[in-house]
Amino acid sequence: MLDCSRTISLIGEEGAARLRASAVAVFGIGGVGSFAAEALARAGVGTLLLIDNDVVKPSNCNRQLVALHSTIGQKKVDVMARRVQDINPEIKAVCLDLFYGQDDSEEIFSQRIDFVVDAIDSLRSKEALILECIKRKIDIISVMGAGNKLYPERFSIMDLFQTRYDPIAKILRRNLRAAGVRSLSVVCSDEPPHKAQCRDEGKTVPASISFVPSVCGLLAAGEAVRKLAGIQE
């Protein structure tokens, strides 16, 4: 059983009870999502849905909680589930080994979900997930780009339509505005991205470092916990 005495001292018995009764879906169990999932588990969230179809690779070891030499080749959702259940044996961890697309909505959302953490890399999947959550009236925090960034202190929670510099946010602003969306909570940085790029499995991907995606995941988890626990600003 997870000892939540220090958490209860901060958010109260009622807040902790709300977390135990809550179900949070984390989409993407990478550098951002793995830290979000662990923070949610340690805060006492009762049910975690872990959604990702990837396996641990050597290149993940610089930033992902699930990535160890002993876990290379294993499914990220399975590694994350074992980890959160080792933190809190009473947590319900639901592993969904899939790459999110609109066709997966019924399979996922047939289960109770109170809050969504969007840590998806794919822009198309991210947009589809945001629109699905809005349609279903499910609270969501969406994490913008964590790659090619060096200053974690420049990330904060803001409205998507107040963001700047982030190329993912720029495209989402345009597409979501066209879909009638006028507000969305996101984790985003005001740091212009560096032009560093690297290759992974023949594809050009953003560069990354250990201390940036983790902060994004913790910020997203914090937003989820405050909302679910009923903490007022």
Side-chain angles (χ1 to χ4, degrees):
M1 180 177 180
L2 179 67
D3 183 346
C4 285
S5 56
R6 297 196 180 196
T7 302
I8 290 169
S9 294
L10 187 61
I11 68 173
E13 291 278 2
E14 183 179 346
R18 288 186 178 190
L19 292 179
R20 285 194 300 273
S22 294
V24 180
V26 181
F27 287 76
I29 309 298
V32 174
S34 61
F35 277 88
E38 177 150 329
L40 291 164
R42 291 188 186 276
V45 168
T47 300
L48 280 179
L49 285 79
L50 307 170
I51 300 103
D52 200 308
N53 73 332
D54 205 1
V55 298
V56 178
K57 303 168 188 171
S59 61
N60 301 150
C61 289
N62 76 324
R63 69 197 183 284
Q64 300 185 14
L65 275 179
V66 292
L68 307 167
H69 278 87
S70 61
T71 62
I72 289 173
Q74 297 179 30
K75 292 184 181 298
K76 291 181 181 180
V77 290
D78 293 340
V79 177
M80 196 76 239
R82 292 197 301 269
R83 187 174 174 95
V84 298
Q85 287 168 336
D86 202 10
I87 292 166
N88 178 12
E90 295 184 343
I91 197 170
K92 180 181 178 183
V94 179
C95 296
L96 295 172
D97 176 22
L98 55 84
F99 179 86
Y100 180 74
Q102 286 179 307
D103 294 342
D104 305 306
S105 293
E106 289 306 320
E107 177 183 355
I108 295 170
F109 290 99
S110 62
Q111 306 181 65
R112 183 174 66 86
I113 297 174
D114 301 303
F115 199 99
V116 165
V117 173
D118 161 30
I120 295 175
D121 291 331
S122 164
L123 185 54
R124 181 176 295 182
S125 295
K126 185 178 287 288
E127 182 180 335
L129 175 61
I130 291 166
L131 291 173
E132 191 69 27
C133 287
I134 291 171
K135 182 179 77 174
R136 294 176 181 269
K137 296 182 170 57
I138 297 173
D139 280 336
I140 179 173
I141 181 79
S142 184
V143 182
M144 301 295 100
N148 296 337
K149 303 288 176 68
L150 275 171
Y151 293 91
E153 66 271 22
R154 296 182 68 168
F155 281 86
S156 61
I157 297 169
M158 62 184 75
D159 191 278
L160 172 69
F161 297 96
Q162 300 300 316
T163 58
R164 55 178 182 164
Y165 296 127
D166 188 289
I168 293 174
K170 180 180 180 180
I171 297 170
L172 277 178
R173 284 197 308 269
R174 181 191 65 211
N175 293 354
L176 293 180
R177 186 180 287 115
V181 178
R182 295 292 177 264
S183 181
L184 178 72
S185 292
V186 300
V187 176
C188 194
S189 173
D190 65 359
E191 176 191 0
H194 296 262
K195 292 185 178 180
Q197 296 286 336
C198 60
R199 304 286 290 178
D200 185 11
E201 296 186 343
K203 298 182 294 184
T204 300
V205 296
S208 61
I209 198 164
S210 59
F211 49 79
V212 171
S214 53
V215 168
C216 297
L218 296 176
L219 285 169
E223 179 77 350
V225 166
R226 288 187 295 270
K227 286 273 186 78
L228 293 168
I231 297 170
Q232 304 296 322
E233 292 186 8

